Amino acid sequence: EISYFSTGGLIEMTRQVSNEACSAARSEAQRFLASRPDLGPADIAQYTTLAESTVRMFLRGNIPGGREVVAQIDRVIGQIKAGEILQPGGAQQSVVFLESGRQPVRRVARRDTFYETETARRVADVLDYAAEHCAIGVVTADFGVGKTEAVKEWRRRTAGKVESSVFEFDEFSTCNKVDFIRCLGRMFGIECALGSFNGGLVFRDLCERLRQQPGLLIFDQCETVRPRICSIIRQIWDRTADAGVGVVLLAAPILLTRLSSGKMADLGALSSRVGVWAPLAGLSKQEMAAIVKQEGITEVDPAAFELWWQATGGSMRRLLRAIDLLKAKHAGKRVTEKTVESVAGFLWGMQIARAA
């Protein structure tokens, strides 16, 4: 039996959970919370009998954990995933799509270079929902997990069935509202006269055009978009949703924090209108193992795979780049921890430590 003090008093834990089970539960919790940066140990603790410091120390690996700690944290995360508590944006009436991440995976469906991972399916779910219900959807996931490729595949699959347009933000359109509305207007054939005073004219012409030709507006790389531009997107939807226009925002997880903080009125107005959220964690370990095998890499040491999974961090982009390098430089050879360290250092400049 292990006992230790926390700010909530004396907590006694009976170690009826193996180290492997504790590590797995901790990794799953960390992976989920990485996709929900708006949540922290305090949010988890309020739905348990544990102190906030206990949850924080367990997640950091400062305490080994035990049956009660693991069970309560696992229960709360399960409730969050089920949409019962702590929904993104605080709107309990919204729909939330998440990956399960625990189901066994024998094979991942593939078309050309696109793998239909669970993340890609959840992105498609949001796009389908937003298009069908003329809603605003928000998809957040780290860079490289495959959001953009999932949108391309969805548009290929729905071509001729669902009208959709993709706007990819750049360094200029993220911070200049006139540049943004002019670029968006050009996509729909709106003539854009020079001068900052013409932004309002383009905005009103665009709304009218969208009412005549409704469809799904997909905005990519929204993580650094200024609040004023978010407000314009919201106003476009306000004026066109009843005509059949839906909106989906794709971004890194930081956007979820910005929308949930409630510190900016412009973002709060947008957040309150979101009908479907999808805070995604990316590639699961089971999917990664299946993809590596499908790519013909079958000789991988278990410790090397764990290190590879750690370096990949749920990113499909990183995984495929590593596979390409291994095929080119390491074909037919067994993948060891040293191999993974070399790949991580060469491709991403990472120095990863082996397990002791």
Side-chain angles (χ1 to χ4, degrees):
E1 185 173 274
I2 298 176
S3 300
Y4 61 88
F5 284 93
S6 72
T7 56
L10 180 64
I11 295 179
E12 297 183 357
M13 298 187 306
T14 302
R15 291 301 305 278
Q16 296 182 11
V17 180
S18 66
N19 288 333
E20 291 76 13
C22 283
S23 297
R26 181 180 294 112
S27 297
E28 180 65 23
Q30 291 171 338
R31 180 172 180 267
F32 173 73
L33 291 175
S35 70
R36 289 290 306 273
D38 55 317
L39 301 180
D43 301 294
I44 304 296
Q46 67 177 315
Y47 291 93
T48 71
T49 59
L50 306 173
E52 177 187 343
S53 58
T54 303
V55 177
R56 181 181 296 107
M57 287 190 292
F58 173 76
L59 294 174
R60 290 177 178 176
N62 295 335
I63 59 174
R67 182 184 62 182
E68 187 67 18
V69 172
V70 170
Q72 291 205 47
I73 292 177
D74 191 59
R75 172 182 57 78
V76 172
I77 289 180
Q79 288 179 297
I80 299 173
K81 287 183 175 182
E84 298 173 6
I85 57 174
L86 298 174
Q87 284 196 7
Q92 294 298 321
Q93 72 275 14
S94 299
V95 176
V96 180
F97 289 118
L98 296 168
E99 310 115 319
S100 64
R102 297 185 178 184
Q103 297 175 350
V105 178
R106 297 185 61 185
R107 186 175 181 83
V108 180
R110 178 181 180 180
R111 191 189 71 83
D112 296 331
T113 59
F114 176 78
Y115 279 98
E116 189 181 311
T117 62
E118 190 175 8
T119 298
R121 292 195 295 273
R122 296 294 81 78
V123 172
D125 288 340
V126 173
L127 295 168
D128 286 334
Y129 185 94
E132 181 179 351
H133 298 275
C134 306
I136 297 179
V138 176
V139 177
T140 56
D142 211 348
F143 304 106
V145 304
K147 301 185 295 294
T148 301
E149 292 301 315
V151 169
K152 290 179 181 177
E153 175 63 17
W154 179 84
R155 295 189 73 207
R156 183 199 65 80
R157 179 170 56 82
T158 59
K161 304 175 185 177
V162 180
E163 292 294 328
S164 62
S165 302
V166 177
F167 183 94
E168 185 173 317
F169 281 101
D170 56 34
E171 192 66 24
F172 302 97
S173 56
T174 56
C175 58
N176 187 314
K177 62 181 181 181
V178 176
D179 183 67
F180 163 66
I181 199 64
R182 288 178 62 193
C183 291
L184 186 60
R186 287 196 196 100
M187 291 175 54
F188 293 91
I190 305 295
E191 293 185 6
C192 305
L194 295 176
S196 60
F197 292 103
N198 293 311
L201 296 176
V202 177
F203 170 79
R204 284 180 278 277
D205 287 346
L206 175 62
C207 290
E208 185 60 32
R209 183 66 55 84
L210 287 172
R211 292 189 65 84
Q212 297 168 2
Q213 303 172 7
L216 183 64
L217 299 179
I218 305 168
F219 296 95
D220 199 1
Q221 300 187 18
C222 298
E223 53 274 351
T224 59
V225 170
R226 295 287 179 86
R228 279 188 172 184
I229 293 173
C230 288
S231 181
I232 293 174
I233 294 174
R234 186 262 302 172
Q235 290 168 7
I236 290 173
W237 182 80
D238 283 346
R239 287 160 173 77
T240 60
D242 63 334
V245 174
V247 170
V248 171
L249 308 180
L250 306 173
I254 187 63
L255 179 65
L256 188 58
T257 304
R258 295 175 63 201
L259 290 174
S260 302
S261 64
K263 294 180 180 179
M264 298 183 182
D266 291 340
L267 293 181
L270 174 62
S271 179
S272 66
R273 288 164 170 78
V274 174
V276 54
W277 301 84
L280 307 176
L283 196 67
S284 71
K285 185 183 291 187
Q286 294 87 346
E287 288 175 325
M288 176 175 164
I291 291 171
V292 168
K293 186 176 180 180
Q294 287 173 232
E295 290 288 340
I297 301 176
T298 56
E299 297 294 323
V300 183
D301 290 340
F305 181 81
E306 290 295 325
L307 203 62
W308 193 358
W309 163 247
Q310 173 189 337
T312 301
S315 170
M316 176 63 79
R317 183 183 301 152
R318 283 188 172 185
L319 174 61
L320 294 180
R321 288 191 65 190
I323 288 174
D324 289 342
L325 182 60
L326 289 172
K327 284 182 175 181
K329 304 293 185 181
H330 204 76
K333 300 178 183 178
R334 189 172 188 83
V335 177
T336 64
E337 290 179 282
K338 185 176 180 180
T339 308
V340 175
E341 289 175 352
S342 299
V343 169
F346 179 79
L347 290 179
W348 314 305
M350 294 176 60
Q351 292 183 350
I352 50 179
R354 309 182 194 181

